[in-house]
Amino acid sequence: MESGGRRGLVSAGGPVSATPMLRQDSGTGAEARVRGPGAVRARRFLLCLYLVGFLDLFGVSMVIPLLSLHVKSLGASPTVAGIVGSSYGILQLFSSTLVGCWSDVVGRRSSLLVCILFSALGYLILGASTNVFLFALARVPVGIFKHTLSISRALLSDLVAEKERPLVIGQFNAASSVGFILGPMVGGYLTELDGGFYLTAFICFSVFILNAGLVWLFPWCEAKLSSAEKGLPAREDSAPWGRTDGHGQATATPRRSTASARPARPPWLEVASTLRDMKSLVFSEMWDIFAVRLLMAVAVMLYYSNFVLALEERFGVRPRAAGYLISYSGALGALAGPALGPLLRLYGHDGRAILLHSSALTCLLLVLHAAARSVAVAVLCSSLLAVSTAVGRTCITDLQLAAGGARASGAVIGVGQSVTAVGRIIAPLLSGLAQEVSPCGPPSLGAALALVAIFLMSLNRARYGGDGGGGGGGSDKLKRA
């Protein structure tokens, strides 16, 4: 067995939905199935990551619905409240790529701990905010460091086999979505108590501290031992697990020899180098993938931007019933994660084809929702949209990672998050303009944008065909960074 081979998680002698395991390298490219204690260790590591995703969104979703009410109670005008609210998206826009690159350099464990602890600090300040200044100050560390989910997805990409990556990321998204469903229920109950907002913010802070402790106690050493049992030496360079963790996925042989031939550089120089290569890669190799991500993100955001208002104006549905429908849709989206296993087998692990078809379904459902004449049709479209968008998000992330390569998975996911942040800035403006025309305007405009995304994917289908979404054409550039 060659020491420079890749390794990750594969299923233990079964289909892709079986228990994942650390995979062995094979000179012929075939994946060796490994049975035994390694399967238990691999599964435990994945379950820990799923729990991190659940706790992250559980804590955040307790507070998010209460922010606008709290800042208003502090005496902020609608304009000031809007500026403070948009500061989070703006900070995320610039910090996502930077933090992603940083996690590639210093390691996933260190970056996860730092991001979780600084986010906890932000929610602690939020729980003590008795004026608008403290409220705005609390959003700064959260806006810069709230990247737990992105780093966790990058860590999953480091660990899993390419064919299993969509399934494992889908399961991670499902676990996170469950937290987002339960959080608002707990937060809504707590806010009715005396000092409810401050209590909710402190509980959110406690959840993040618990998450940091969980990451600290992760069985990192067991993941290293699983590699050692199979004769796979731990890496000594900085990515993707980093200097702190001392184990992880090996990259190509040229990268290893280059890294060993040159002296170690300071982390900030490594980050700057990765950012330079990432810039050229985005504009030359991956522009269409990120364009599709932006178009589909804005399309879905337009649909949700006036969802409650449109249901009330078109069908007389009360906001409370609309809220129940949103929770129901969120539950369906969470269930879409485990359903990716059979879907992947049906498509022969062709992530690009799944993305194309899920985007086409999303476009069709947006058209049907805009043209719906009854509540039943609107509910049906909402239900199916929850599934199609959940599948699409997972597949576009997998396609990014396949095209960008594992050397800088954190940077690739970070750029994707920055693109989504751009969508969050654009979508409210487009939604307002579309609502001037009709309550059906936002979903109609979203369908048009989704159609453009489908056209882009159809033009470039040859580039990203093949198993697991294909790609990898840009990874060599990042490996030479």
Side-chain angles (χ1 to χ4, degrees), residues 302-320:
L302 285 170
Y303 163 72
Y304 283 109
S305 63
N306 76 328
F307 181 76
V308 176
L309 179 62
L311 286 180
E312 185 175 17
E313 291 186 357
R314 295 172 62 189
F315 308 113
V317 177
R318 304 303 299 169
R320 172 188 256 180

Side-chain angles (χ1 to χ4, degrees), residues 21 73 76 92 97 136-137 143 148 169 202 212 243 249-250 258 289 294 309 320 323-324 418 435 440:
M21 293 194 60
S73 70
Q92 287 272 296
T97 304
L137 180 64
T148 309
I169 292 179
F202 180 76
R243 301 181 183 89
Q249 176 181 354
T258 302
I289 299 178
L294 176 62
L309 179 62
R320 172 188 256 180
Y324 291 149
S418 294
Q435 287 182 66
C440 302

Side-chain angles (χ1 to χ4, degrees), residues 292 296 299-300 336 340 343 347 350-366 384-397 399 450-451 453-454 457:
V292 168
M296 293 306 300
V300 175
L340 269 174
L343 194 62
Y347 277 82
D350 188 355
R352 185 211 57 81
I354 299 177
L355 176 62
L356 178 61
H357 294 164
S358 66
S359 300
L361 179 60
T362 298
C363 179
L364 176 61
L365 292 171
L366 288 173
L384 295 177
L385 270 169
V387 176
S388 67
T389 54
V391 171
R393 282 195 302 269
T394 301
C395 290
I396 193 67
T397 300
L399 197 59
L451 193 60
I454 294 167
M457 282 185 277

